[in-house]
Amino acid sequence: MSFSFIPSGRVEVPTIEIARRAQIQAARCALIVVDMQKDFVLEEGSLVCPAARETVPRIRLLIETARKAGVRLIYTQDTQVEDDPEFRIWPRHCVSGTWGWEIVDDLKPLDGDLVCPKNRYDGFYGTWLDHFLRCVWRVDHLVIVGTVSNICVLHTAASAGLRWYDLTVPADGISAFTEFDQALTLRQVSSLYNGTVVKGVEDVHFE
């Protein structure tokens, strides 16, 4: 079998393994909500992922379930500065202190939650995330939701996987610009990082 560098026509999506449920020990788990900020989620935002808004009620449900079980909550927050180099790639977005930088009201962090500012796609890159997970909370299992699936969600999941965290991703709790990007993310998590993909947030159970 040979491959050209540039695919032509349709590309077949490899099988994505979907588990029926994920049973997770609450004491060793944290829920990471990736970049659910106004610039990405709301219509008035500057870099909107339209599917992100549909995930808000589902993510809120999972947050409520996690809180009741005593699971740690983490919010990554894309944080840019004026004239950030990233604006060579994307429109201006999530500049620190602006309206679009804020986490959407329906998913606001509470006192005791960890808000983790980041200025690249990866929630671990240049942040205190790993320190809190390993050294403060002794957590080794991460449930990841948020946006955008193949960018900040996948890079954060990849960085976690490379650090040997156990991963769970509910497919209806992440959002992408295209179906291909969504499938790519789920495939990478389930195969390359040996994570567990479940269909929905209601398939995640804490004990």
Side-chain angles (χ1 to χ4, degrees), residues 17 161 164-167 187-196:
E17 185 175 344
W164 295 110
Y165 286 97
D166 292 327
L167 297 174
R187 169 69 177 176
Q188 293 291 84
V189 167
S190 64
S191 61
L192 194 56
Y193 306 116
N194 198 34
T196 299

Side-chain angles (χ1 to χ4, degrees), residues 31-66:
L31 171 61
I32 301 181
V33 180
V34 176
D35 296 3
M36 290 299 287
Q37 295 163 255
K38 294 177 180 178
D39 264 346
F40 297 137
V41 179
L42 302 185
E43 290 182 7
E44 304 88 345
S46 63
L47 188 52
V48 180
C49 177
R53 191 167 187 177
E54 299 173 13
T55 68
V56 170
R58 297 192 286 268
I59 293 174
R60 184 172 64 239
L61 175 64
L62 185 58
I63 288 173
E64 292 170 354
T65 302

Side-chain angles (χ1 to χ4, degrees), residues 54-166:
E54 299 173 13
T55 68
V56 170
R58 297 192 286 268
I59 293 174
R60 184 172 64 239
L61 175 64
L62 185 58
I63 288 173
E64 292 170 354
T65 302
R67 290 194 195 285
K68 290 176 182 177
V71 172
R72 299 285 188 174
L73 265 291
I74 299 165
Y75 294 77
T76 67
Q77 188 171 22
D78 201 41
T79 301
Q80 310 300 336
V81 297
E82 296 291 349
D83 301 320
D84 197 285
E86 195 167 294
F87 300 159
R88 301 171 194 162
I89 306 171
W90 304 103
R92 183 179 182 274
H93 63 279
C94 295
V95 174
S96 180
T98 64
W99 171 88
W101 169 76
E102 297 172 358
I103 295 168
V104 295
D105 294 340
D106 286 346
L107 304 176
K108 282 288 188 183
L110 301 181
D111 291 341
D113 296 340
L114 177 66
V115 178
C116 191
K118 63 180 183 63
N119 67 347
R120 293 311 323 266
Y121 309 143
D122 177 5
F124 287 85
Y125 177 78
T127 75
W128 51 46
L129 180 54
D130 192 56
H131 172 77
F132 271 86
L133 293 172
R134 290 195 189 279
C135 300
V136 181
W137 295 339
R138 310 294 183 183
V139 159
D140 60 9
H141 195 132
L142 305 178
V143 178
I144 302 179
V145 294
T147 203
V148 173
S149 298
N150 64 309
I151 306 174
C152 294
V153 171
L154 181 54
H155 280 77
T156 299
S159 200
L162 292 173
R163 290 171 169 83
W164 295 110
Y165 286 97
D166 292 327

